[in-house]
Amino acid sequence: MSVDNPNLSVPAIGASFKDILTAEKRPWLIVLVLAIAINIAGITTDFFTNDPGLYGLIARNMVQSHNYTDLIYRGKDWLDKPHFPFWMVALSFKVFGVGTVAYKLPGLLFYFMSVVYTYKLAKKFYGFDTALIAILILLTAQHTIMSNTDVRAEPYIMGLLMGSVYHFYKLKEKFSIADLLIASLFAACAVMTKGIYLLIPIGFAIIGDYLFKKDFKGLFQWRWLMAVVLVALFTLPEIYTLYIQFDIHPEKVVFNHTHVSGIKWFLWDSQFGRFSNTGYIIRPDRDYFFFLHTLLWAFAPWAFLLYYSLFISIKKIVKGVVLVEYITLSGSLLMLIIFSVSQFQLPFYTNILFPFFAIITAVYVKQVFDDGKSKVFIIVQYVTCIVLMILVGALIFYFYIPLNMRGYTAFAGGMCGTLFGSFFRKRVVRKVFLLTCGVAIFVNAYLIVEIYRVLLFYKGDVNAAHYINKNVNADKKVIASFEVPDAFEFYTNRPVSFVNIDSVIAKKNKNEVVLVEDTLLKNLFKNNIPFKLLKSFDNYPNENLTKQFLLKDERNKTLNHYFLIFF
């Protein structure tokens, strides 16, 4: 049996962050700063998918009603997610006021918490170099940057999961009340963010490390029983709020049913019911390879290196090579398998595993740095970078030509020059790694600055809300006569009432502005009902970008329209 040795064999990047302040190592610092900046850059971008608007409305209702136990959506009880993210957003709203930045800020803080703990965990086992590589991979993985612009629950989970795993591993090494309390609290908060299934990656990260190291006795220590009790204790706020909102009110109608138990939903239906497709919310399709091919773009530009790193690690285990740690493999692979066999699959589910994936990939990258066997690495990353740059070029000329083309052209030219110039310099591998980070940063800068901006131009709900705020007198009531996306209500600076168009016509209140869509407007014309058009808005109704929308000559075929009218 051999032992995997992570010791350095060539000059290191540095021993600490102080070392990358030197002139020679400064490119690492520059890339790190840019990688952090690109994850923050989308904090002011308005919502272009529905979930942030929905979650923001629920958190805003908490603040306005001073009711932090009930989840209420448009006046009705809402049962789909646990409370923790809503409490964090509500706290941010209390401090900073209701808005886009205040909504996204807590999620970003928890995301950077995952970066910190990814660094700490990687450094603990593999040293500073690998830890720095790991956080650069995590900071530049495609879907993490996207999720920090379109914030949902995943950034919260990433921070809480990694924090819990790190402190539980410290508890595994040596008993500490502080580590026990912190790890258990983080685990409980993760459960109160998305469900009890999150104990699987947390628990199996530690259990797997015990099992692979054949330390079976270590599993049966009092500290782990104490951890189970503390996690259950710290989860009680969620149990309590669900009990008083749902379980003592069996008459409430939820999912078109009465006698719905909020506690049962939380402990089973919210996650395991979805995985087995037996809960209140189901999906008819399943693809066992969905996440394997989703990771190709979601974990870009590192996906191929991840797959190769996983192959190497599993091959070593099969051959009996003792690895430095088994936390990252145990914490990620089982959960990836569970996600893959479940019938409820969405692309952002695997984001919570990215910190583990980043460390696994970083170990291989550092080995390439040390061994100098870099042919595969260089070819794969060059091809990946070139493909990404070609995709951006295609978007520039077929989707939208930005106003400042000179800046983009100069930047792209510089990137390409660096790309090919690296062949003729020393330490090519490290430059290719930094170049890959730079390309990922550039691609996402283009997405945030140009693509999302153009996409928001075709979001009629957001634009209608901003128009009302600027141009409609404050004494005017706002009515929506159809199921408009939640961003409209979130961004409108006054209450929005949802009223059937027939009731609006019957009253013909001149003190109301009414939002309608194409079908309703056609019916008004058809029935010769007089009205005045205040403003029309193009609207792209989908969350995912289609090929037809991306082609500017075909884009109008994908749009519907919203109209502000009054009688």
Side-chain angles (χ1 to χ4, degrees):
M1 180 179 293
S2 58
V3 179
D4 201 27
N5 185 0
N7 292 332
L8 306 179
S9 58
V10 296
I13 299 166
S16 69
F17 278 108
K18 291 181 180 179
D19 293 332
I20 63 173
L21 296 176
T22 62
E24 184 182 358
K25 312 298 184 184
R26 199 166 294 153
W28 291 86
L29 178 61
I30 293 171
V31 171
L32 177 62
V33 171
L34 290 175
I36 292 171
I38 198 63
N39 281 277
I40 302 172
I43 194 171
T44 60
T45 302
D46 286 342
F47 305 152
F48 51 84
T49 61
N50 197 57
D51 280 355
L54 168 64
Y55 301 159
L57 284 179
I58 293 172
R60 186 177 74 181
N61 180 74
M62 283 184 167
V63 175
Q64 292 176 343
S65 66
H66 305 289
N67 178 356
Y68 296 92
T69 58
D70 293 357
L71 298 178
I72 304 296
Y73 171 62
R74 292 182 178 173
K76 297 180 180 179
D77 293 284
W78 187 83
L79 184 63
D80 187 42
K81 297 287 188 297
H83 284 66
F84 184 77
F86 301 106
W87 286 331
M88 295 297 100
V89 174
L91 177 62
S92 183
F93 285 170
K94 286 280 285 185
V95 175
F96 302 107
V98 176
T100 304
V101 173
Y103 170 81
K104 295 182 181 182
L105 182 60
L108 279 170
L109 292 176
F110 277 93
Y111 167 72
F112 283 113
M113 174 178 163
S114 78
V115 174
V116 170
Y117 277 112
T118 298
Y119 169 79
K120 291 168 74 72
L121 195 66
K123 186 179 180 183
K124 183 177 186 63
F125 293 115
Y126 302 105
F128 173 79
D129 285 13
T130 304
L132 179 59
I133 294 167
I135 62 173
L136 284 173
I137 290 172
L138 180 59
L139 285 164
T140 54
Q142 181 60 38
H143 214 310
T144 58
I145 302 174
M146 293 173 64
S147 292
N148 288 331
T149 300
D150 182 33
V151 176
R152 308 185 194 209
E154 281 61 38
Y156 294 88
I157 300 171
M158 291 170 70
L160 294 166
L161 189 152
M162 290 307 293
S164 182
V165 168
Y166 175 79
H167 287 285
F168 271 138
Y169 190 83
K170 288 187 67 179
L171 183 68
K172 175 180 179 288
E173 291 181 315
K174 181 181 178 181
F175 181 80
S176 163
I177 291 293
D179 287 319
L180 175 63
L181 290 173
I182 294 171
S184 301
L185 178 61
F186 286 167
C189 290
V191 169
M192 292 189 290
T193 297
K194 203 66 181 284
I196 199 168
Y197 85 95
L198 286 166
L199 295 179
I200 295 173
I202 294 172
F204 273 86
I206 305 302
I207 292 170
D209 202 66
Y210 272 122
L211 294 179
F212 280 111
K213 291 178 178 177
K214 296 182 170 53
D215 182 9
F216 304 115
K217 291 183 179 179
L219 288 168
F220 303 98
Q221 299 182 68
W222 283 104
R223 67 189 68 179
W224 302 122
L225 179 60
M226 294 169 65
V228 170
V229 171
L230 283 172
V231 170
L233 181 65
F234 289 143
T235 310
L236 285 179
E238 183 66 32
I239 301 294
Y240 171 76
T241 55
L242 292 170
Y243 176 75
I244 65 172
Q245 185 175 1
F246 297 102
D247 289 68
I248 63 174
H249 294 288
E251 76 282 359
K252 288 185 175 182
V253 179
V254 184
F255 305 119
N256 297 318
H257 292 77
T258 57
H259 295 82
V260 173
S261 168
I263 295 175
K264 177 179 177 292
W265 167 87
F266 173 63
L267 296 177
W268 182 260
D269 292 325
S270 66
Q271 298 306 321
F272 298 110
R274 288 189 179 188
F275 292 153
S276 61
N277 222 31
T278 58
Y280 292 112
I281 303 174
I282 62 175
R283 291 172 69 94
D285 53 337
R286 170 166 56 188
D287 176 3
Y288 292 117
F289 300 101
F290 176 80
F291 290 107
L292 291 180
H293 58 71
T294 295
L295 284 172
L296 289 175
W297 67 265
F299 201 66
W302 312 107
F304 293 108
L305 296 185
L306 168 65
Y307 289 144
Y308 189 62
S309 303
L310 288 170
F311 170 75
I312 290 174
S313 297
I314 294 170
K315 183 179 178 182
K316 287 179 178 178
I317 292 174
V318 172
K319 288 186 173 182
V321 177
V322 178
L323 304 184
V324 177
E325 51 85 20
Y326 299 90
I327 288 176
T328 50
L329 286 171
S330 302
S332 60
L333 287 184
L334 177 62
M335 200 67 244
L336 182 61
I337 292 170
I338 292 174
F339 282 147
S340 297
V341 300
S342 75
Q343 284 194 246
F344 208 92
Q345 300 171 327
L346 291 170
F348 47 80
Y349 278 7
T350 50
N351 283 28
I352 66 173
L353 306 178
F354 282 11
F356 293 135
F357 291 161
I359 295 174
I360 293 168
T361 308
V363 173
Y364 165 70
V365 172
K366 183 58 173 67
Q367 183 180 341
V368 171
F369 285 6
D370 291 351
D371 295 346
K373 298 177 181 179
S374 57
K375 185 176 181 179
V376 173
F377 173 85
I378 290 175
I379 292 173
V380 168
Q381 292 313 106
Y382 267 115
V383 171
T384 300
C385 289
I386 291 170
V387 168
L388 289 173
M389 295 298 291
I390 289 173
L391 287 174
V392 171
L395 285 173
I396 288 175
F397 290 103
Y398 287 98
F399 173 67
Y400 177 74
I401 299 176
L403 297 176
N404 187 15
M405 273 298 297
R406 292 182 181 178
Y408 281 100
T409 304
F411 191 91
M415 296 290 289
C416 292
T418 306
L419 188 69
F420 294 105
S422 295
F423 275 121
F424 305 103
R425 299 179 184 179
K426 297 179 180 179
R427 296 188 179 181
V428 173
V429 179
R430 300 188 183 204
K431 288 183 172 64
V432 170
F433 175 82
L434 292 178
L435 177 68
T436 306
C437 295
V439 169
I441 293 166
F442 169 67
V443 168
N444 282 278
Y446 177 71
L447 289 177
I448 293 170
V449 173
E450 296 295 343
I451 301 295
Y452 297 160
R453 183 172 65 85
V454 175
L455 179 59
L456 281 165
F457 180 80
Y458 294 100
K459 284 297 174 180
D461 50 339
V462 176
N463 295 320
H466 290 322
Y467 180 86
I468 290 171
N469 296 342
K470 293 179 181 179
N471 300 285
V472 176
N473 292 338
D475 61 338
K476 298 284 186 181
K477 296 180 180 179
V478 178
I479 305 293
S481 291
F482 66 103
E483 285 295 316
V484 63
D486 295 304
F488 175 70
E489 187 176 359
F490 180 82
Y491 284 116
T492 302
N493 62 2
R494 66 199 77 178
V496 176
S497 300
F498 291 84
V499 182
N500 183 278
I501 190 64
D502 294 330
S503 299
V504 176
I505 294 170
K507 291 194 311 181
K508 289 187 178 179
N509 188 337
K510 295 182 179 180
N511 202 39
E512 295 175 344
V513 292
V514 185
L515 186 72
V516 299
E517 41 76 56
D518 291 303
T519 303
L520 293 176
L521 193 77
K522 289 178 182 178
N523 288 336
L524 292 177
F525 280 120
K526 181 179 179 180
N527 295 309
N528 295 315
I529 297 171
F531 66 90
K532 292 183 179 180
L533 177 64
L534 189 60
K535 183 71 174 177
S536 64
F537 306 92
D538 292 334
N539 181 65
Y540 179 65
N542 300 322
E543 291 191 354
N544 297 323
L545 296 176
T546 63
K547 179 182 178 181
Q548 195 173 30
F549 177 78
L550 290 174
L551 297 172
K552 54 183 178 290
D553 294 333
E554 298 285 322
R555 190 170 303 149
N556 284 336
K557 298 177 183 179
T558 68
L559 305 178
N560 58 19
H561 306 87
Y562 295 162
F563 307 90
L564 275 176
I565 64 173
F566 62 95
F567 295 94

